[in-house]
Amino acid sequence: MKRIIVFVLSAFLFSYCTTVPLTGRRQLKFMPDSELLTMSFTQYSQFLSQHRLSTNQTQTAVVREVGVRIQQSVEKYMADNNMTDRIKDFRWEFNLVDDKQVNAFCMPGGKVVIYTGIMPICQDATGLAIVMGHEIAHAIAEHGNERMSQTMLANGLLTVGGAVVQAKNPSLTNQLLLQAAGVATNLGMLSFSRQHESEADHIGLIFSSMAGYDPREAPRFWQRMAAASGGGQQPPAFLSTHPSHEKRIQDLEAEIPAAMKYYESATRK
Ligand SMILES: [Zn+2]
């Protein structure tokens, strides 16, 4: 009997599994895309209505340009690898919000926000592409859905029918979404787990390189981030969930040779 239960349970969980593009990692996914994206789009418009867009036209234009170029690389990659389905309902948007916080995020479905506070650390379009690639990678790898699914599983918010929590408690589901996308926390872009952060670094670096942005800028950008967040002095809570700057920079250095191939073929044209 026990074995049957285990079998049914694993078959159930397996049916709610999916694979992360580029890394091939298996992940949990309970939230139906249609439901998640509808929620995400609503939350994004709400966010924009509550925040001021930057009036700096030059910076706004750079944000849009870098965003669209990375979007095109993602679309090309997905088309080349028979994964267009996974982004077919994306409604890409790239907005620069007037806010001193050092932050950026991409909500499920390609809804990007860059804060003006991160622009001086980006320095230029290439630095911005590193941030944008990283944030978009979280959305492509569906880290938001995975985190929500993990939270739901841990809190018994699921029924055998799947994620019905939305109908039962829409405000809780919306809260989960904002947290999962890194919107509703003080840590903002730094709120993802170590595993999700390294995965987003890896995937993001490839997408920004494909879009023609030099991957050698990635470690430099994270060095500037490290300096901006007080050098080596990171608070313990931050360290426990987030890769240390040093480790992240080392990992990115190691990924540069592979990313250079995409960068070179993008800039050769
Ligand atoms: Zn991240």
Side-chain angles (χ1 to χ4, degrees):
M1 184 64 187
K2 224 181 216 164
R3 227 181 291 163
I4 295 174
I5 293 172
V6 170
F7 175 76
V8 170
L9 198 65
S10 10
F12 166 70
L13 287 178
F14 189 78
S15 68
Y16 287 98
C17 262
T18 179
T19 311
V20 178
L22 285 107
T23 66
R25 181 175 65 83
R26 300 284 293 167
Q27 64 180 169
L28 268 185
K29 180 178 168 181
F30 289 130
M31 284 297 293
D33 287 332
S34 55
E35 220 168 288
L36 184 66
L37 293 195
T38 307
M39 280 167 59
S40 177
F41 297 164
T42 310
Q43 292 290 337
Y44 187 75
S45 330
Q46 227 168 64
F47 179 93
L48 289 182
S49 70
Q50 290 158 356
H51 292 78
R52 219 156 19 110
L53 288 181
S54 167
T55 49
N56 184 324
Q57 291 184 358
T58 318
Q59 282 192 344
T60 302
V62 175
V63 166
R64 299 252 153 88
E65 198 212 316
V66 171
V68 168
R69 276 173 64 176
I70 295 180
Q71 170 193 344
Q72 287 164 348
S73 307
V74 170
E75 286 170 346
K76 184 177 181 312
Y77 180 88
M78 297 307 249
D80 289 349
N81 290 276
N82 273 326
M83 288 191 282
T84 298
D85 246 23
R86 302 179 65 142
I87 53 162
K88 69 175 193 318
D89 295 322
F90 270 48
R91 300 281 175 272
W92 297 92
E93 220 177 309
F94 312 96
N95 284 297
L96 179 64
V97 161
D98 189 18
D99 191 314
K100 286 199 292 283
Q101 281 184 69
V102 176
N103 204 359
F105 60 79
C106 176
M107 290 179 74
K111 298 293 193 184
V112 176
V113 165
I114 303 288
Y115 289 63
T116 46
I118 204 170
M119 295 300 276
I121 303 176
C122 293
Q123 286 184 353
D124 55 18
T126 309
L128 181 62
I130 299 302
V131 175
M132 191 92 83
H134 174 93
E135 296 306 325
I136 288 173
H138 279 305
I140 298 301
E142 300 189 82
H143 288 158
N145 199 330
E146 184 178 7
R147 289 177 82 191
M148 288 176 79
S149 304
Q150 286 164 342
T151 310
M152 288 171 170
L153 190 66
N155 292 288
L157 295 171
L158 291 165
T159 68
V160 178
V164 294
V165 70
Q166 158 78 343
K168 275 192 191 155
N169 194 338
S171 67
L172 175 65
T173 324
N174 277 317
Q175 197 54 36
L176 283 178
L177 168 69
L178 292 176
Q179 280 171 1
V183 181
T185 123
N186 295 333
L187 285 172
M189 67 183 292
L190 307 175
S191 68
F192 282 91
S193 71
R194 217 171 260 257
Q195 182 187 43
H196 283 176
E197 283 304 309
S198 332
E199 199 167 66
D201 278 345
H202 170 69
I203 297 173
L205 192 67
I206 293 177
F207 286 144
S208 55
S209 303
M210 286 172 90
Y213 296 103
D214 192 337
R216 287 168 293 191
E217 183 61 19
R220 293 179 210 139
F221 167 79
W222 286 105
Q223 261 149 15
R224 294 196 294 273
M225 275 294 276
S229 64
Q233 292 183 342
Q234 295 161 14
F238 174 86
L239 270 177
S240 65
T241 53
H242 204 254
S244 69
H245 289 302
E246 208 179 316
K247 172 86 171 70
R248 148 172 266 158
I249 290 165
Q250 264 175 22
D251 289 351
L252 281 165
E253 296 276 11
E255 288 175 17
I256 287 177
M260 282 303 282
K261 296 201 180 84
Y262 293 102
Y263 172 62
E264 278 157 6
S265 80
T267 46
R268 209 178 293 134
K269 285 172 221 163

